[in-house]
Amino acid sequence: MTIRHIVCWKLNALTPRRKADDAAGIVAGLEALVGVVPEIRALTVGPDVAGDENWDVALIADFDDLEALDRYQKHPEHKKVGAFIRTVVADRLAVDLEV
């Protein structure tokens, strides 16, 4: 069993430049967790490229099981990234799938 953790964020930035900077900060922060948080099996994160009414940034990360996902979410480095993310987002959507 693998757990696929999917998260999408709407940013609260009002200008395209600020939105791009905030998205880049989210991407850099989450990518930096690879190799630091041992529970991460795979991680893909990036800004939306289509625009329109889409969500601004998406994360797809794989974990061995729900316990590994829980350890990831409680990891101090993940909490630091999450603290930054909460300062720049207006909305969040998440789902965890068994794949």
Side-chain angles (χ1 to χ4, degrees):
M1 165 176 79
T2 297
I3 299 299
R4 181 153 295 153
H5 178 60
I6 303 168
V7 184
C8 298
W9 295 276
K10 286 272 190 187
L11 302 177
N12 59 24
L14 300 177
T15 66
R17 171 67 188 249
R18 181 59 190 225
K19 188 176 278 192
D21 288 348
D22 290 347
I26 291 172
V27 169
L30 290 169
E31 286 180 340
L33 297 177
V34 176
V36 174
V37 180
E39 288 79 11
I40 298 170
R41 295 292 165 246
L43 185 143
T44 303
V45 60
D48 175 66
V49 296
D52 300 324
E53 297 298 314
N54 291 349
W55 291 76
D56 298 310
V57 181
L59 164 73
I60 303 169
D62 290 346
F63 301 88
D64 287 339
D65 51 34
L66 287 171
E67 291 79 14
L69 173 61
D70 186 58
R71 289 190 303 276
Y72 158 78
Q73 291 176 326
K74 292 177 179 175
H75 193 283
E77 293 303 314
H78 176 265
K79 288 188 173 285
K80 288 179 190 175
V81 176
F84 165 73
I85 291 172
R86 284 188 296 281
T87 68
V88 298
V89 301
D91 204 359
R92 175 185 181 271
L93 167 76
V95 63
D96 298 304
L97 309 172
E98 186 175 73
V99 296

